[in-house]
Amino acid sequence: MRVQTPFSIKSEGRIYHVERDGERISSVSVIFPGVSVDEAPKIIPAVEAKTIPTISITDRYTLIAERDIRTWQAILATYQGLEIDFNHAEVSYNAETPEEESLISLKSFTIGKDHYPEIAAQDYSMFGRAFLAIKDSYEDIDKIAFYVEGYRHLKAGHCIDAYNQFYLFLEANFGLPFKTKDAVKALQGNRQFIDAVNEVISEKSWKTDRVKLTLKGFEGDTYDISAVTNSIVLLRGHLRHNTLSNPNRWNPNDQEKHRLDALFIAAVCQAIARPTFLKTFNEIYAKEFFDQAVENKHMLKVRVTITMKDMERVRDQQIDMNFPTRDESPELAKVVMQKALEAFDHNAAGADLYAIRAVVIPTGKELFRYDLGPSISR
């Protein structure tokens, strides 16, 4: 898992920055330019011989930064689970003029010292656009919080806790009543939930003999949406209670029994929460990200040559593409190929495709070459 070419994103008077260790994300930061030097921590000297100096911190920005990063995490949660350690944050103060340098007594301080694993990896444009969407997404923190916790438990193998967290996501988002029959009725009447269940079942073979869910309602090649919904709520009740007097109590040491149940409800919740992530594809954010990439000189030009046979004539068509990245990565090659094929289908319907070649401009370095047709002179 890697992240490609991060650069700082400016939005709402703040700067969002991702740092890498190699190609892996090591930290994410919120920078507040133009803050008065008076906001920096101050070391108060000892007044008497027996007293010790103290540090005065009147930080007003840490909570704002955490809120922004939690919002960013929520936006991306259904696409990329971000394991962000908010308990070990670093706050630093950097002089903006030479005169301020001597006025900052404490340059930085860290809450905690434990090492934390890398938080994520993927195409940077996704992360950059999510920074830009923060200002319109603060209300998503609470909506996605249970989803984030469910993802963490699922990743750690805590399948029962994961199921409970994902169900809490449904309760929080739909205001579900607690009683089983009332919750079933509310979910069965919720179009968003029903559409999500139908989508998940249609996209994955949950009803095959190889899949052993304890959830009911999957019979052969068909399924009963009412039975599935009823089973989801009943399993919630079963997994929230584990009294010794219950002969059907679940075994906390047998988490794997409910792994597929947790995966199923996780997929349903992901479909419901997807609109939060889809904000990153808003045209406003896409354009702003592209403009900042141009400003930061993080653009790459690729020239694609498509060789085709059209009307008994072999000819080349060239297409120039610009991308907000500096990495000649497999992900870039995939996107270029997709766009090249779309252009061929749109502009040369009925022609025979012989070859597609892509080079980086101005270096001329070949990104990829696919020869599909007969050998011809180029």
Side-chain angles (χ1 to χ4, degrees):
M1 299 291 283
R2 299 181 299 276
V3 62
Q4 306 292 340
T5 57
F7 57 89
S8 297
I9 296 294
K10 302 174 185 177
S11 181
E12 298 292 295
R14 300 196 268 280
I15 299 173
Y16 302 98
H17 183 68
V18 166
E19 293 184 8
R20 292 188 299 182
D21 181 5
E23 289 187 332
R24 296 183 181 275
I25 292 179
S26 57
S27 67
V28 57
S29 308
V30 184
I31 303 168
F32 299 87
V35 174
S36 170
V37 71
D38 293 333
E39 298 284 344
K42 297 177 179 61
I43 298 178
I44 303 173
V47 179
E48 300 177 1
K50 294 183 179 180
T51 62
I52 59 175
T54 59
I55 298 176
S56 172
I57 298 176
T58 56
D59 177 49
R60 297 187 298 140
Y61 294 93
T62 300
L63 289 178
I64 298 175
E66 181 174 333
R67 183 186 67 166
D68 283 3
I69 295 175
R70 285 190 184 277
T71 304
W72 183 65
Q73 179 188 39
I75 293 169
L76 296 167
T78 58
Y79 183 85
Q80 179 68 58
L82 302 176
E83 295 292 337
I84 302 176
D85 182 13
F86 291 100
N87 293 322
H88 299 88
E90 178 180 331
V91 180
S92 61
Y93 299 83
N94 301 300
E96 295 181 330
T97 65
E99 293 75 22
E100 291 182 350
E101 193 70 43
S102 61
L103 300 177
I104 302 177
S105 304
L106 186 65
K107 303 295 184 184
S108 67
F109 62 90
T110 303
I111 305 171
K113 299 179 181 179
D114 296 344
H115 172 71
Y116 206 74
E118 66 274 4
I119 63 171
Q122 266 297 347
D123 169 35
Y124 181 63
S125 62
M126 176 184 70
F127 294 90
R129 294 193 306 269
F131 282 131
L132 297 172
I134 284 175
K135 58 182 177 291
D136 297 323
S137 305
Y138 291 124
E139 74 281 359
D140 293 326
I141 297 176
D142 292 338
K143 292 181 181 178
I144 305 296
F146 290 118
Y147 181 95
V148 172
E149 287 301 312
Y151 172 84
R152 288 172 175 165
H153 283 297
L154 194 57
K155 188 176 179 181
H158 306 154
C159 302
I160 294 171
D161 287 331
Y163 188 95
N164 287 329
Q165 289 296 327
F166 285 122
Y167 190 90
L168 285 170
F169 169 85
L170 297 177
E171 284 188 333
N173 279 266
F174 298 144
L176 298 181
F178 185 76
K179 288 186 177 180
T180 298
K181 65 177 182 178
D182 294 335
V184 170
K185 183 178 179 180
L187 286 176
Q188 288 178 345
N190 188 297
R191 188 73 258 168
Q192 190 178 7
F193 172 80
I194 296 301
D195 287 346
V197 173
N198 285 325
E199 176 187 326
V200 172
I201 293 178
S202 65
E203 288 183 356
K204 201 159 187 175
S205 301
W206 298 100
K207 47 191 182 295
T208 65
D209 292 337
R210 294 179 290 102
V211 178
K212 303 298 183 185
L213 288 92
T214 63
L215 292 171
K216 307 300 181 184
F218 305 87
E219 302 295 339
D221 294 330
T222 63
Y223 65 93
D224 183 338
I225 191 70
S226 295
V228 172
T229 303
N230 187 66
S231 183
I232 287 174
V233 179
L234 287 175
L235 186 58
R236 173 283 313 254
H238 176 64
L239 295 181
R240 282 192 184 177
H241 306 288
N242 199 31
T243 58
L244 293 176
S245 60
N246 184 355
N248 298 317
R249 64 183 179 272
W250 47 268
N251 184 354
N253 295 318
D254 188 14
Q255 300 278 339
E256 287 299 310
K257 178 180 179 180
H258 293 290
R259 172 171 292 280
L260 286 177
D261 301 320
L263 286 172
F264 181 83
I265 195 173
V268 171
C269 291
Q270 183 182 49
I272 293 168
R274 189 182 300 125
T276 297
F277 172 68
L278 291 180
K279 290 181 181 181
T280 63
F281 292 93
N282 185 300
E283 289 185 9
I284 296 175
Y285 304 140
K287 182 181 184 304
E288 189 173 347
F289 178 81
F290 188 87
D291 291 344
Q292 291 197 29
V294 172
E295 180 184 347
N296 286 280
K297 295 182 172 57
H298 276 274
M299 296 296 296
L300 201 65
K301 183 176 182 179
V302 178
R303 177 162 294 162
V304 178
T305 302
I306 301 175
T307 302
M308 66 189 81
K309 184 177 182 181
D310 187 15
M311 302 295 289
E312 301 304 319
R313 179 172 63 93
V314 177
R315 63 185 179 90
D316 287 343
Q317 178 185 11
Q318 285 191 342
I319 305 171
D320 286 344
M321 304 179 186
N322 294 293
F323 297 91
T325 182
R326 297 297 298 170
D327 287 304
E328 301 160 12
S329 63
E331 291 83 0
L332 175 65
K334 178 181 177 181
V335 172
V336 171
M337 174 61 76
Q338 288 174 337
K339 290 186 175 295
L341 291 174
E342 289 171 3
F344 174 77
D345 289 340
H346 180 73
N347 299 322
D352 294 327
L353 178 61
Y354 277 10
I356 302 179
R357 306 183 301 282
V359 297
V360 178
I361 302 298
T363 64
K365 181 179 179 181
E366 192 167 77
L367 187 63
F368 63 78
R369 170 191 288 263
Y370 290 103
D371 291 310
L372 307 173
S375 177
I376 56 178
S377 105
R378 319 227 204 281

